[in-house]
Structure formats: C-alpha cells, structure tokens
Amino acid sequence: MSTPLPLSISMHPADNVAIVANDGGLPAGTVLPSGLTLLDKVPQAHKVALVDIPEGGEVRRYNVIIGYALKPIAAGSWVHERLLQMPEARSLQGLPIATVKPPVLEPLAGYTFEGYRNADGTVGTRNILAITTTVQCVAGVLDFAVRRIKSELLPRYPNVDDVVGLEHSYGCGVAIDAVGAEIPQRTLRNISRNPNFGGEVMVVSLGCEKLQPERLLPPGSFPIVDEREPALDVVCLQDEAHMGFMSMIDSIMRQAEQHLRRLDARRRETVPASALVVGVQCGGSDAFSGVTANPAVGFCTDLLVRAGATVMFSEVTEVRDGIDQLTSRAASPEVAEAMIEEMAWYDAYLDKGRVDRSANTTPGNKKGGLSNIVEKAMGSIIKSGTAPITGVLSPGQRLADRGISQGLVYAATPASDFICGTLQLAAGMNLHVFTTGRGTPYGLAQVPVIKVATRSDLARRWHDLMDINAGRIADGEATIEDIGWEMFRLMLDVASGRKKTWAEHWQLHNALVLFNPAPVT
C-alpha cells in the first residue's frame, strides 16, 4: 500500500500557517510538497508554520490575524494555542456598514418539495403533534403520556409523523416579570407555533405555576381551527376532576386524539423550495469545519437564497470576532445596526457574568486544531455564504415578528448547540443543518436534522450518524460546490419525507434548552 502524500491546506495566499489534512497527522521530518520539513509531529487539523514567525509576530489564517506569537516560531513547527496571544475583540464602533454590494445572485427556479401547508402561510416538512408544557413539574407525567400515545394511538393515524412533548425547565421559581424574562416566554410561545406542528394547540399545565397557559399563549396566538372548540386546549393536572395519576394520563390521551384526528387529515402538497426555512449551525467543531463542511453549507445557503428560501445563521459568540464581515454585508444600514445592537447586548450580558470570551473554544475544539475564538469565528461565519444579510432576529423571535419571508437572516442566539437549536425552532425553521468535526449525536425531535461531517475519518467511524461527508473536499474527491449541491438536493428529499436523516432513523433527540437571562427567585 502506498503512503499517502503529505497534505496541508492554506485558506489564503497571505496566510503564514496551514493545517495538516492527513488522517492521524504527520510526523516530524515529513517533507511537504512545498519542500517544507516538519520540525514537530503535527496532529490532523492542526497548524504548521509556513515561515519563521518572530516573537510578537502576526499569525494569519483566512488572511485574518488569529494571534500573536508568544515566542519565535520556526517554519515547520506545530502552531497551537499555547504559542498564541489572542487578539483583542473587534470594537463595535467604526464598523463598515452595508459597504459590500455582492453581485445579484441568479434566481434558482423550478425546485420544489412536498410539504404541509398551514393556515398562517408557513409550510411544514413534518406533520407532528406537539404538546406544550407550562412548567417543568409536568414533564414526567407528559413523558409517560407521550409514550402511551405513541404506542396506542399513533398507529391509528398513519399520516402523523410523531408526537413530541415540548418540555423545558422554566415556568415557576423564576422572576417572571424581570427584564429578560420575555425571552424564554416568547421562545416557548413561538416554538408552539413551529410550522411542523400544523397549528394544533395542546397544553399540559400543573395549575399553580407562574407561567399560566393564558400568559404563555394569549388570545390571538393561534387561529381557531374549529369554531366549536376553544383555541387553547389545556389539560390541568391539578383539576379536581383528576382522581389519581391514570386519570391525568387518560385526559391527556383523550385530548391528544382530537388533535391527531385533525393532523391525520392533512396531506403533503407540492410547494416551491422558497417555503424552506433552514437553520444552519455547527458544533463539536474542528479546524476542518471552516475548510470543508461550513464552506459547503455556505454554498448551499446561496443556493437556497437564490431559490427564495429563508436561511438563518446564529451563534453570537462564534461570529462576534468577525462582526465587521457581517455589518459590511448587511443589505441596509438598519440591518447592520440591528446586528451591532445584538452583539452589544450579548457583550454586556457576558460582562455582567465576568465571562472570558476565550472560554468559547472547548477542549474538543482545541484538540481539533482551533486555537481560539478568532480562528473559530472565521470558520463559523462561512456557513452564511455570500448573500446580503437581509434581517436580524432577537432571541426567541419569529421571522414573522420582523416581517421576514425570505433571504439570509442573522438570528441572534448563544453558541450552545441546544440553546441555538431551540431558538431557531422558535424562529420558525422547518429543516436544520448541523456540521461537526469532532462528532456529536445532536438531534431535534421537532425538525429533521441533516448532519454533515467535516472529515472523512469521522464519516467512516460514524457512518450511521452522518448524512453527508464533506471530508471528501479535503481528500480531493469532491469540490465545495459538489457537496453544496448534494446538500441542497438532500434537503428537498428530506423536507418531502422521501428520505429520513440518521437522527430520525435512530430517533435521536436532545432536550430543548431555554435561554433565560433573567434572575431566578
């Protein structure tokens, strides 16, 4: 068997570091095709100095300063986080505002999928009964009920894809009127309105909680499906009519069947690709994220925008260090200022908690070659493609709240995978794309999640968890454009129900996590 050619990848001609692409890394003494000899063993995805870098010298990747050398670094040396001083955060003052005028992307017509039309104009990619909760106290009861609904009722309604309980840790023991409390409340309200739930409203309440059903879902939150029935269908566990645990379960199942009956009458229809609302996110990232998977997502993002769809990218702390790249791409000064406002709010939030921004890069990120948040930010932003940013959402807001019906949107969320996913659900996404280099079994029960591996080694080892192997880009077997088109076509198949993702196949999903900046009591 022949020895693989040593391979390193630079992102820009001005870079003075490159990453090692070979599985298992490269040993000291390896001679790269450029003629450079490695002085150290360099793990896969980690950086090697291409030239001598003096103490205090700039270390550049993506033609961005990702750090300053703490001591002289010789050409061929392994460049890791312990050798770098992280740059200061980019000021929010004096940013370029709507200065980049990208070429108008040619519309992409003729692409469709089979989806479920809703009364509010949105389209679902799945037909799910979601049961909302007002407080964590009811979670155990609802979990028991959902298991029985799935085993006893769901088989009678073959056109319903699933039943999910929207469980969370909010609702009581919180400062419900404090500044910031509106964020978890509107998040829960708007998740209940996700397009994949068909406009059906069912709530399980304890009865004594602070977050009463009428506060969570006030009149007007949903259209009335049947004039003979109230818009808000609540099962209250403290109701005097409940005589024991099984009485509660019977009530939940009885009400659930009414909603299942209506959902089962729905059928998929051919709808334009413009009805897709896609959330993009990365987690368990490595240095390949910004080389393979995220650039492919960015190319696919441009395809979706050309098709008239809506794409949301997020993760405040992961894009904060590239804010100038975002404000310059804003479609208008107003959009740029809205992004700055979200960044400033989060800066203040972190400062209040005395959180060091360098804490964003996890031990796994660093093991995967990402030295700091500046380097990580460059690889994260590229998921957004090249289209103008046309709108901004605050945490927990719906696209409709801002009058957004298509285009590239910045949805401000923390970088935590599950908080980000939860907030994108609230915004109205009906399909999710998640890239990973280190690997994570992330999944959501509420929407299909397409998982993209950044490295072929991960795709081989996790062959029944990853839907797309973007590592083929680094292997030279595919281009960014190839993987981007593959992703786009897979989205249409998954959205239509013609294909299931691996996460759906294994029924992998994680609990929703609310962003609650308000104090607890």
Side-chain angles (χ1 to χ4, degrees):
M1 182 181 295
S2 60
T3 303
L5 184 72
L7 178 63
S8 63
I9 300 175
S10 297
M11 299 305 294
H12 191 277
D15 290 354
N16 57 7
V17 294
I19 67 166
V20 167
N22 299 76
D23 287 351
L26 293 172
T30 300
V31 180
L32 300 180
S34 65
L36 179 67
T37 300
L38 298 188
L39 302 182
D40 304 309
K41 178 181 178 180
V42 181
Q44 185 187 36
H46 282 249
K47 294 176 288 296
V48 56
L50 301 177
V51 297
D52 293 334
I53 303 173
E55 182 176 349
E58 298 174 352
V59 177
R60 284 185 172 270
R61 187 166 181 242
Y62 300 96
N63 195 26
V64 169
I65 300 171
I66 64 169
Y68 298 95
L70 292 173
K71 64 179 184 179
I73 303 174
S77 298
W78 175 19
V79 180
H80 48 75
E81 71 275 3
R82 296 183 298 279
L83 296 178
L84 301 182
Q85 172 66 46
M86 187 166 62
E88 293 294 322
R90 179 67 161 88
S91 171
L92 295 179
Q93 304 298 318
L95 292 167
I97 303 295
T99 53
V100 173
K101 303 300 179 186
V104 177
L105 298 174
E106 181 183 354
L108 196 61
Y111 288 92
T112 62
F113 69 97
E114 305 301 308
Y116 295 95
R117 292 188 182 274
N118 297 317
D120 63 359
T122 62
V123 174
T125 61
R126 293 294 182 267
N127 191 29
I128 296 172
L129 171 59
I131 303 177
T132 300
T133 59
T134 55
V135 68
Q136 169 66 18
C137 308
V138 304
V141 175
L142 180 58
D143 179 68
F144 187 96
V146 166
R147 280 186 275 125
R148 282 196 54 187
I149 293 168
K150 287 185 176 184
S151 64
E152 299 175 29
L153 298 182
L154 195 57
R156 304 177 197 170
Y157 302 99
N159 295 315
V160 182
D161 293 308
D162 202 359
V163 180
V164 299
L166 301 181
E167 301 169 8
H168 54 87
S169 57
Y170 194 71
C172 212
V174 294
I176 203 161
D177 293 312
V179 174
E182 71 279 3
I183 292 176
Q185 292 176 47
R186 73 186 177 205
T187 300
L188 290 171
R189 179 179 307 120
N190 289 334
I191 288 175
S192 301
R193 305 166 75 181
N194 186 276
N196 285 357
F197 303 154
E200 293 294 323
V201 191
M202 180 175 171
V203 181
V204 175
S205 160
L206 181 61
C208 60
E209 64 271 23
K210 290 183 178 181
L211 187 61
Q212 289 289 300
E214 294 77 14
R215 178 168 184 151
L216 174 60
L217 297 167
S221 296
F222 289 84
I224 296 177
V225 178
D226 189 328
E227 294 293 342
R228 295 167 299 176
E229 298 180 5
L232 194 57
D233 179 12
V234 181
V235 175
C236 177
L237 301 189
Q238 290 178 348
D239 193 308
E240 292 183 0
H242 289 138
M243 303 298 290
F245 175 67
M246 293 312 300
S247 174
M248 300 174 190
I249 301 301
D250 290 342
S251 291
I252 294 172
M253 294 182 68
R254 184 168 54 251
Q255 294 306 110
E257 187 156 24
Q258 297 181 30
H259 297 281
L260 289 170
R261 191 175 298 117
R262 285 194 290 264
L263 287 170
D264 193 60
R266 289 156 52 88
R267 296 294 183 273
R268 289 185 182 271
E269 305 174 35
T270 301
V271 296
S274 58
L276 285 174
V277 181
V278 180
V280 300
Q281 190 187 167
C282 50
S285 301
D286 67 356
F288 276 107
S289 296
V291 176
T292 60
N294 289 352
V297 170
F299 183 85
C300 186
T301 291
D302 286 349
L303 294 178
L304 289 163
V305 171
R306 289 171 58 191
T310 305
V311 182
M312 294 180 287
F313 73 106
S314 300
E315 301 164 290
V316 171
T317 52
E318 288 194 10
V319 301
R320 170 67 177 80
D321 278 272
I323 180 61
D324 54 320
Q325 298 181 31
L326 303 181
T327 56
S328 62
R329 281 174 56 200
S332 68
E334 291 75 20
V335 170
E337 292 299 333
M339 278 190 282
I340 293 170
E341 183 178 331
E342 293 298 339
M343 300 293 168
W345 185 94
Y346 210 77
D347 280 358
Y349 170 72
L350 293 178
D351 186 61
K352 187 185 298 182
R354 299 180 181 178
V355 177
D356 182 351
R357 91 185 208 278
S358 68
N360 179 277
T361 38
T362 67
N365 294 154
K366 293 175 181 177
K367 190 173 182 180
L370 292 172
S371 294
N372 56 42
I373 186 55
V374 181
E375 184 179 9
K376 188 177 180 181
M378 297 305 107
S380 181
I381 286 173
I382 205 167
K383 296 195 302 293
S384 65
T386 63
I389 302 166
T390 57
V392 178
L393 295 179
S394 295
Q397 285 188 324
R398 290 177 84 214
L399 291 161
D401 295 340
R402 290 286 182 94
I404 300 170
S405 59
Q406 64 179 39
L408 180 63
V409 177
Y410 181 67
T413 77
S416 169
D417 295 348
F418 302 107
I419 300 179
C420 178
T422 300
L423 290 169
Q424 288 186 342
L425 278 172
M429 76 168 170
N430 54 20
L431 189 66
H432 200 37
V433 176
F434 190 98
T435 68
T436 183
R438 302 300 297 165
T440 169
Y442 174 97
L444 295 170
Q446 298 78 16
V447 296
V449 179
I450 295 173
K451 300 287 284 298
V452 185
T454 74
R455 299 177 296 123
S456 292
D457 177 62
L458 175 65
R460 283 191 295 267
R461 290 187 295 109
W462 287 27
H463 58 91
D464 53 1
L465 287 170
M466 298 291 114
D467 300 293
I468 294 176
N469 175 20
R472 288 176 289 153
I473 297 169
D475 298 339
E477 298 175 1
T479 65
I480 289 171
E481 292 79 7
D482 292 336
I483 302 299
W485 273 108
E486 178 183 336
M487 197 178 302
F488 180 74
R489 294 187 179 99
L490 179 60
M491 285 181 184
L492 297 178
D493 283 340
V494 169
S496 299
R498 292 188 291 266
K499 289 185 178 179
K500 282 190 174 183
T501 67
W502 278 114
E504 288 182 291
H505 175 80
W506 298 120
Q507 297 186 347
L508 290 179
H509 62 269
N510 296 79
L512 301 180
V513 181
L514 294 179
F515 179 36
N516 179 23
V520 297
T521 58

